[in-house]
Coordinates of all heavy atoms in Angstrom, one line a residue:
T1 N 162.7 61.2 12.5 CA 164.1 61.4 12.2 C 164.8 62.0 13.3 O 164.2 62.7 14.1 CB 164.2 62.3 10.9 OG1 163.7 63.5 11.2 CG2 163.5 61.7 9.7
V2 N 166.1 61.9 13.3 CA 167.0 62.5 14.3 C 166.9 64.0 14.2 O 166.7 64.7 15.2 CB 168.4 62.0 14.2 CG1 169.3 62.7 15.1 CG2 168.5 60.5 14.4
R3 N 166.9 64.5 13.0 CA 166.8 66.0 12.9 C 165.5 66.5 13.5 O 165.5 67.5 14.2 CB 167.0 66.4 11.4 CG 166.9 67.9 11.2 CD 167.2 68.2 9.7 NE 166.9 69.6 9.4 CZ 167.7 70.6 9.7 NH1 168.8 70.4 10.3 NH2 167.3 71.8 9.4
G4 N 164.4 65.9 13.2 CA 163.2 66.3 13.7 C 163.1 66.3 15.2 O 162.6 67.2 15.8
S5 N 163.7 65.3 15.8 CA 163.8 65.2 17.3 C 164.6 66.4 17.8 O 164.3 67.0 18.8 CB 164.4 63.9 17.7 OG 163.6 62.8 17.3
N6 N 165.7 66.7 17.2 CA 166.6 67.8 17.6 C 165.9 69.1 17.5 O 166.0 70.0 18.4 CB 167.9 67.8 16.9 CG 168.8 66.7 17.2 OD1 168.7 66.1 18.3 ND2 169.7 66.3 16.4
D7 N 165.2 69.3 16.4 CA 164.4 70.6 16.2 C 163.4 70.7 17.3 O 163.2 71.8 17.8 CB 163.8 70.6 14.8 CG 164.8 70.7 13.7 OD1 165.9 71.1 13.9 OD2 164.3 70.5 12.5
Q8 N 162.7 69.7 17.6 CA 161.6 69.7 18.6 C 162.3 70.0 20.0 O 161.8 70.8 20.7 CB 160.8 68.5 18.6 CG 159.6 68.5 19.6 CD 158.8 67.3 19.6 OE1 159.2 66.2 19.0 NE2 157.6 67.3 20.1
S9 N 163.4 69.4 20.2 CA 164.1 69.6 21.5 C 164.5 71.0 21.6 O 164.4 71.6 22.7 CB 165.2 68.6 21.6 OG 165.9 68.8 22.8
N10 N 165.1 71.5 20.6 CA 165.6 72.9 20.6 C 164.4 73.9 20.8 O 164.5 74.9 21.5 CB 166.3 73.3 19.3 CG 167.7 72.6 19.2 OD1 168.2 72.1 20.2 ND2 168.2 72.4 18.0
Q11 N 163.3 73.6 20.1 CA 162.1 74.4 20.3 C 161.6 74.4 21.7 O 161.3 75.4 22.3 CB 161.1 74.0 19.3 CG 159.9 74.9 19.2 CD 158.9 74.4 18.2 OE1 158.6 73.2 18.0 NE2 158.3 75.3 17.5
Q12 N 161.6 73.2 22.3 CA 161.1 73.1 23.7 C 162.1 73.8 24.6 O 161.6 74.5 25.6 CB 161.0 71.6 24.1 CG 159.8 71.0 23.4 CD 159.7 69.5 23.7 OE1 160.7 68.9 24.2 NE2 158.6 68.9 23.4
Q13 N 163.3 73.8 24.4 CA 164.3 74.5 25.3 C 164.1 76.0 25.1 O 164.2 76.7 26.1 CB 165.7 74.1 24.9 CG 166.1 72.7 25.3 CD 167.5 72.3 24.8 OE1 168.2 73.1 24.2 NE2 167.8 71.0 25.1
G14 N 163.8 76.4 23.9 CA 163.5 77.9 23.7 C 162.3 78.3 24.5 O 162.2 79.5 25.0
W15 N 161.3 77.5 24.7 CA 160.1 77.8 25.4 C 160.4 78.2 26.9 O 159.7 79.0 27.5 CB 159.1 76.7 25.4 CG 158.5 76.5 24.1 CD1 158.7 77.2 22.9 CD2 157.6 75.4 23.7 NE1 157.9 76.7 21.9 CE2 157.3 75.6 22.4 CE3 157.1 74.4 24.4 CZ2 156.4 74.7 21.7 CZ3 156.2 73.5 23.8 CH2 155.9 73.7 22.4
R16 N 161.4 77.6 27.4 CA 161.7 77.8 28.8 C 162.1 79.3 29.1 O 162.1 79.7 30.2 CB 162.9 76.9 29.3 CG 162.4 75.4 29.3 CD 163.5 74.5 29.8 NE 163.2 73.2 29.6 CZ 164.0 72.2 29.1 NH1 165.2 72.5 28.8 NH2 163.5 71.0 28.9
K17 N 162.5 80.0 28.0 CA 162.9 81.4 28.2 C 161.8 82.3 28.0 O 162.0 83.5 28.1 CB 164.0 81.6 27.1 CG 165.2 80.8 27.3 CD 166.3 81.0 26.2 CE 167.4 80.1 26.3 NZ 168.4 80.2 25.2
I18 N 160.6 81.9 27.6 CA 159.5 82.8 27.3 C 158.4 82.6 28.4 O 158.3 81.6 29.0 CB 159.0 82.6 25.9 CG1 158.4 81.2 25.7 CG2 160.0 82.9 24.9 CD1 157.7 81.0 24.4
P19 N 157.6 83.7 28.5 CA 156.5 83.5 29.5 C 155.6 82.4 29.0 O 155.5 82.1 27.8 CB 155.7 84.9 29.3 CG 156.7 85.8 28.8 CD 157.7 85.0 27.9
W20 N 154.9 81.8 29.9 CA 153.9 80.7 29.7 C 154.6 79.4 29.2 O 153.9 78.5 28.7 CB 152.9 81.1 28.6 CG 152.4 82.5 28.7 CD1 152.5 83.5 27.8 CD2 151.6 83.1 29.7 NE1 151.9 84.6 28.2 CE2 151.3 84.4 29.4 CE3 151.1 82.6 30.9 CZ2 150.5 85.3 30.2 CZ3 150.3 83.4 31.7 CH2 150.1 84.8 31.4
S21 N 155.9 79.2 29.4 CA 156.5 78.0 28.9 C 155.9 76.8 29.5 O 155.7 75.8 28.7 CB 158.0 78.1 29.2 OG 158.3 78.1 30.6
K22 N 155.6 76.7 30.8 CA 155.0 75.5 31.3 C 153.6 75.3 30.7 O 153.2 74.2 30.4 CB 154.9 75.7 32.9 CG 154.0 74.7 33.6 CD 154.7 73.5 34.0 CE 153.9 72.6 34.9 NZ 152.9 71.8 34.2
H23 N 152.9 76.4 30.5 CA 151.5 76.3 30.0 C 151.6 75.8 28.5 O 150.8 74.9 28.1 CB 150.8 77.6 30.0 CG 150.7 78.2 31.4 ND1 149.8 77.7 32.3 CD2 151.3 79.2 32.0 CE1 149.9 78.4 33.4 NE2 150.8 79.3 33.2
L24 N 152.6 76.3 27.8 CA 152.7 75.9 26.4 C 153.1 74.4 26.3 O 152.6 73.7 25.4 CB 153.8 76.7 25.7 CG 153.4 78.2 25.4 CD1 154.6 79.0 25.0 CD2 152.3 78.3 24.4
T25 N 154.0 73.9 27.2 CA 154.3 72.5 27.2 C 153.1 71.7 27.5 O 152.9 70.6 26.9 CB 155.4 72.3 28.3 OG1 156.6 73.1 27.9 CG2 155.9 70.8 28.3
D26 N 152.3 72.1 28.5 CA 151.1 71.4 28.9 C 150.1 71.3 27.7 O 149.6 70.2 27.4 CB 150.4 72.0 30.1 CG 151.2 71.9 31.3 OD1 152.1 71.0 31.4 OD2 150.9 72.6 32.3
L27 N 149.9 72.4 27.0 CA 149.0 72.5 25.9 C 149.5 71.6 24.7 O 148.7 70.9 24.1 CB 148.8 73.9 25.4 CG 148.0 74.8 26.4 CD1 148.2 76.3 26.0 CD2 146.6 74.5 26.4
R28 N 150.8 71.6 24.5 CA 151.3 70.8 23.4 C 151.1 69.3 23.8 O 150.8 68.5 22.9 CB 152.8 71.1 23.2 CG 153.5 70.2 22.1 CD 154.9 70.7 21.8 NE 154.8 71.9 21.0 CZ 154.6 71.9 19.6 NH1 154.4 70.7 19.0 NH2 154.6 73.0 18.9
G29 N 151.3 69.0 25.0 CA 151.0 67.6 25.5 C 149.6 67.2 25.3 O 149.3 66.0 25.1
M30 N 148.7 68.1 25.3 CA 147.3 67.8 25.1 C 146.9 67.8 23.6 O 145.7 67.6 23.2 CB 146.4 68.9 25.8 CG 146.4 68.7 27.3 SD 145.4 70.0 28.0 CE 146.5 70.9 29.0
G31 N 147.9 68.1 22.7 CA 147.6 68.1 21.3 C 147.4 69.5 20.7 O 147.1 69.6 19.5
F32 N 147.5 70.5 21.5 CA 147.3 71.9 20.9 C 148.6 72.5 20.6 O 149.4 73.0 21.5 CB 146.5 72.8 22.0 CG 145.2 72.2 22.4 CD1 145.0 71.7 23.6 CD2 144.1 72.2 21.5 CE1 143.8 71.2 24.0 CE2 142.9 71.7 21.8 CZ 142.7 71.2 23.1
T33 N 149.0 72.4 19.3 CA 150.4 72.6 19.0 C 150.6 74.0 18.3 O 151.8 74.3 17.9 CB 150.9 71.5 18.0 OG1 150.0 71.4 16.9 CG2 150.9 70.1 18.7
D34 N 149.6 74.8 18.1 CA 149.8 76.1 17.5 C 150.2 77.1 18.5 O 149.4 77.7 19.3 CB 148.5 76.5 16.8 CG 148.6 77.8 16.0 OD1 149.5 78.6 16.3 OD2 147.9 77.9 15.0
T35 N 151.5 77.2 18.6 CA 152.1 78.0 19.7 C 151.6 79.5 19.7 O 151.3 80.1 20.7 CB 153.7 78.0 19.6 OG1 154.1 76.6 19.7 CG2 154.3 78.8 20.7
K36 N 151.5 80.0 18.5 CA 151.1 81.4 18.3 C 149.7 81.6 18.9 O 149.4 82.5 19.7 CB 151.1 81.8 16.9 CG 150.8 83.3 16.6 CD 150.9 83.7 15.2 CE 150.5 85.1 14.9 NZ 150.6 85.5 13.5
V37 N 148.8 80.7 18.5 CA 147.4 80.8 19.0 C 147.4 80.6 20.6 O 146.7 81.3 21.3 CB 146.5 79.8 18.3 CG1 145.1 79.7 19.0 CG2 146.3 80.2 16.9
N38 N 148.2 79.6 21.0 CA 148.2 79.3 22.4 C 148.7 80.5 23.2 O 148.1 80.8 24.3 CB 149.1 78.1 22.7 CG 148.5 76.8 22.1 OD1 147.3 76.7 21.8 ND2 149.3 75.8 22.0
I39 N 149.7 81.2 22.8 CA 150.2 82.4 23.5 C 149.2 83.5 23.5 O 148.9 84.1 24.5 CB 151.5 82.9 22.8 CG1 152.7 81.9 23.1 CG2 151.9 84.2 23.3 CD1 153.9 82.1 22.4
Q40 N 148.5 83.7 22.4 CA 147.4 84.7 22.3 C 146.4 84.4 23.3 O 145.9 85.3 24.1 CB 146.8 84.8 20.9 CG 147.8 85.4 19.9 CD 147.2 85.2 18.5 OE1 146.3 84.5 18.2 NE2 147.8 86.0 17.5
L41 N 145.9 83.2 23.4 CA 144.9 82.8 24.4 C 145.4 82.8 25.8 O 144.6 83.3 26.7 CB 144.3 81.4 24.0 CG 143.5 81.4 22.7 CD1 143.2 79.9 22.4 CD2 142.2 82.2 22.9
L42 N 146.6 82.5 26.1 CA 147.2 82.6 27.4 C 147.2 84.0 27.9 O 146.9 84.3 29.0 CB 148.6 81.9 27.5 CG 148.6 80.4 27.5 CD1 150.0 79.9 27.1 CD2 148.1 79.9 28.8
K43 N 147.6 84.9 27.0 CA 147.6 86.3 27.3 C 146.1 86.8 27.6 O 145.9 87.5 28.6 CB 148.2 87.2 26.2 CG 149.7 87.0 26.1 CD 150.2 87.8 24.9 CE 151.7 87.7 24.7 NZ 152.2 88.5 23.6
K44 N 145.2 86.4 26.7 CA 143.8 86.8 26.9 C 143.2 86.3 28.2 O 142.5 87.1 28.9 CB 143.0 86.2 25.7 CG 141.5 86.6 25.8 CD 140.8 86.0 24.6 CE 139.3 86.3 24.7 NZ 138.6 85.9 23.5
F45 N 143.6 85.1 28.6 CA 143.0 84.5 29.8 C 144.0 84.5 31.0 O 143.8 83.7 31.9 CB 142.5 83.1 29.5 CG 141.4 83.0 28.5 CD1 141.5 82.4 27.3 CD2 140.2 83.7 28.8 CE1 140.5 82.3 26.4 CE2 139.1 83.6 27.9 CZ 139.3 83.0 26.7
N46 N 145.0 85.4 30.9 CA 146.0 85.5 32.0 C 146.6 84.2 32.5 O 146.7 84.0 33.7 CB 145.3 86.3 33.2 CG 144.9 87.7 32.8 OD1 145.6 88.4 32.2 ND2 143.7 88.0 33.1
G47 N 146.9 83.3 31.6 CA 147.6 82.1 32.0 C 146.7 81.0 32.5 O 147.2 80.0 32.9
N48 N 145.4 81.2 32.4 CA 144.4 80.2 32.8 C 144.3 79.1 31.8 O 143.6 79.2 30.8 CB 143.1 80.8 33.1 CG 142.1 79.8 33.7 OD1 142.0 78.7 33.3 ND2 141.2 80.3 34.6
T49 N 145.0 78.0 32.0 CA 145.1 76.9 31.0 C 143.7 76.3 30.7 O 143.4 76.0 29.5 CB 146.1 75.8 31.4 OG1 147.4 76.5 31.7 CG2 146.3 74.8 30.3
Q50 N 142.9 76.2 31.7 CA 141.6 75.6 31.5 C 140.8 76.4 30.6 O 140.1 75.9 29.7 CB 140.9 75.4 32.9 CG 139.5 74.7 32.7 CD 139.6 73.3 32.1 OE1 140.4 72.5 32.6 NE2 138.9 73.0 31.0
R51 N 140.8 77.7 30.7 CA 140.0 78.6 29.8 C 140.6 78.5 28.4 O 139.8 78.6 27.4 CB 140.0 80.0 30.4 CG 139.2 80.1 31.7 CD 138.9 81.5 32.1 NE 138.0 82.1 31.2 CZ 137.8 83.5 31.2 NH1 138.4 84.2 32.1 NH2 137.0 84.0 30.3
V52 N 141.9 78.4 28.3 CA 142.5 78.3 27.0 C 142.0 77.0 26.3 O 141.6 77.0 25.1 CB 144.1 78.3 27.0 CG1 144.7 78.0 25.7 CG2 144.5 79.7 27.5
V53 N 142.1 75.9 27.0 CA 141.6 74.6 26.5 C 140.1 74.7 26.1 O 139.7 74.3 25.0 CB 141.8 73.5 27.5 CG1 141.2 72.2 27.0 CG2 143.3 73.2 27.7
D54 N 139.3 75.3 26.9 CA 137.9 75.5 26.6 C 137.7 76.3 25.3 O 136.9 75.9 24.5 CB 137.2 76.2 27.7 CG 137.0 75.3 29.0 OD1 137.2 74.1 28.9 OD2 136.7 75.9 30.1
A55 N 138.5 77.4 25.2 CA 138.4 78.2 23.9 C 138.8 77.4 22.7 O 138.2 77.5 21.7 CB 139.2 79.5 24.1
L56 N 139.9 76.6 22.8 CA 140.4 75.8 21.7 C 139.4 74.8 21.3 O 139.2 74.5 20.1 CB 141.8 75.2 22.1 CG 142.9 76.2 22.2 CD1 144.1 75.6 22.8 CD2 143.3 76.8 20.8
L57 N 138.8 74.1 22.3 CA 137.8 73.1 22.0 C 136.6 73.7 21.4 O 136.0 73.1 20.5 CB 137.5 72.3 23.3 CG 138.6 71.4 23.9 CD1 138.2 70.8 25.2 CD2 138.9 70.3 22.9
E58 N 136.2 74.8 21.9 CA 135.0 75.5 21.3 C 135.3 75.8 19.8 O 134.4 75.7 19.0 CB 134.7 76.7 22.1 CG 133.4 77.4 21.6 CD 133.0 78.6 22.5 OE1 133.2 78.5 23.7 OE2 132.5 79.6 21.9
E59 N 136.5 76.3 19.6 CA 136.8 76.7 18.2 C 136.8 75.4 17.3 O 136.3 75.5 16.2 CB 138.2 77.3 18.2 CG 138.7 77.7 16.8 CD 140.1 78.3 16.9 OE1 140.3 79.3 17.6 OE2 141.0 77.8 16.1
Q60 N 137.3 74.3 17.8 CA 137.3 73.1 17.0 C 135.9 72.6 16.8 O 135.6 72.2 15.7 CB 138.1 72.0 17.8 CG 139.6 72.1 17.7 CD 140.3 71.0 18.4 OE1 139.7 70.2 19.1 NE2 141.6 70.9 18.2
H61 N 135.1 72.7 17.8 CA 133.7 72.3 17.7 C 133.0 73.2 16.6 O 132.2 72.6 15.8 CB 133.0 72.4 19.0 CG 131.5 72.1 19.0 ND1 131.1 70.8 18.9 CD2 130.4 72.9 19.0 CE1 129.8 70.8 18.9 NE2 129.3 72.0 19.0
D62 N 133.2 74.5 16.6 CA 132.6 75.4 15.7 C 133.0 75.0 14.2 O 132.2 75.0 13.3 CB 132.9 76.8 16.0 CG 132.2 77.3 17.2 OD1 131.2 76.7 17.7 OD2 132.6 78.4 17.8
E63 N 134.3 74.7 14.1 CA 134.8 74.3 12.8 C 134.2 73.0 12.3 O 133.9 72.9 11.1 CB 136.4 74.2 12.8 CG 137.1 75.5 12.9 CD 138.6 75.3 13.1 OE1 139.1 74.2 13.0 OE2 139.3 76.3 13.3
Q64 N 134.0 72.1 13.1 CA 133.4 70.8 12.7 C 131.9 71.0 12.4 O 131.4 70.3 11.5 CB 133.5 69.8 13.9 CG 134.9 69.3 14.1 CD 135.0 68.4 15.3 OE1 134.0 68.2 16.0 NE2 136.2 67.8 15.5
R65 N 131.2 71.9 13.0 CA 129.8 72.2 12.7 C 129.7 72.8 11.4 O 128.7 72.5 10.7 CB 129.3 73.1 13.8 CG 127.8 73.2 13.8 CD 127.2 73.9 14.9 NE 128.1 74.7 15.7 CZ 127.8 75.4 16.7 NH1 126.6 75.6 17.0 NH2 128.7 76.1 17.4
I66 N 130.6 73.6 10.9 CA 130.5 74.2 9.6 C 130.7 73.2 8.5 O 130.0 73.3 7.5 CB 131.6 75.3 9.5 CG1 131.3 76.5 10.4 CG2 131.7 75.8 8.0 CD1 132.4 77.5 10.5
V67 N 131.5 72.2 8.7 CA 131.8 71.2 7.7 C 130.6 70.3 7.4 O 129.7 70.1 8.0 CB 133.0 70.3 8.1 CG1 133.2 69.2 7.1 CG2 134.2 71.2 8.2

């Protein structure tokens, strides 16, 4: 929908004003859309996107193993 596109665009524009905006955009492009978790991990790993992705993938793997 048009509204959804505008909401997403506004949200992306808001990211430019916060730390890690480039990293958040990259992570979203990879399918990691939980901004709160992504920010927490970016802080934990000092902006190292590769370590964030590794942590997110490990978390997904652990969740699949439980099921």
Side-chain angles (χ1 to χ4, degrees):
T1 65
V2 174
R3 180 175 170 77
S5 297
N6 288 338
D7 289 344
Q8 185 176 15
S9 177
N10 291 339
Q11 189 177 37
Q12 288 175 346
Q13 288 175 2
W15 289 356
R16 294 183 188 135
K17 299 176 184 176
I18 61 173
W20 318 116
S21 62
K22 167 88 169 78
H23 302 288
L24 290 170
T25 301
D26 292 345
L27 290 165
R28 180 170 283 280
M30 290 181 241
F32 302 110
T33 58
D34 190 330
T35 303
K36 183 177 178 181
V37 170
N38 292 344
I39 290 172
Q40 290 172 343
L41 290 171
L42 284 164
K43 288 179 182 178
K44 179 178 180 178
F45 296 119
N46 298 314
N48 185 323
T49 306
Q50 183 59 54
R51 291 191 65 195
V52 171
V53 170
D54 290 344
L56 290 166
L57 290 173
E58 184 175 322
E59 181 180 306
Q60 285 181 349
H61 178 74
D62 289 345
E63 288 175 4
Q64 289 176 353
R65 195 174 5 179
I66 293 172
V67 174

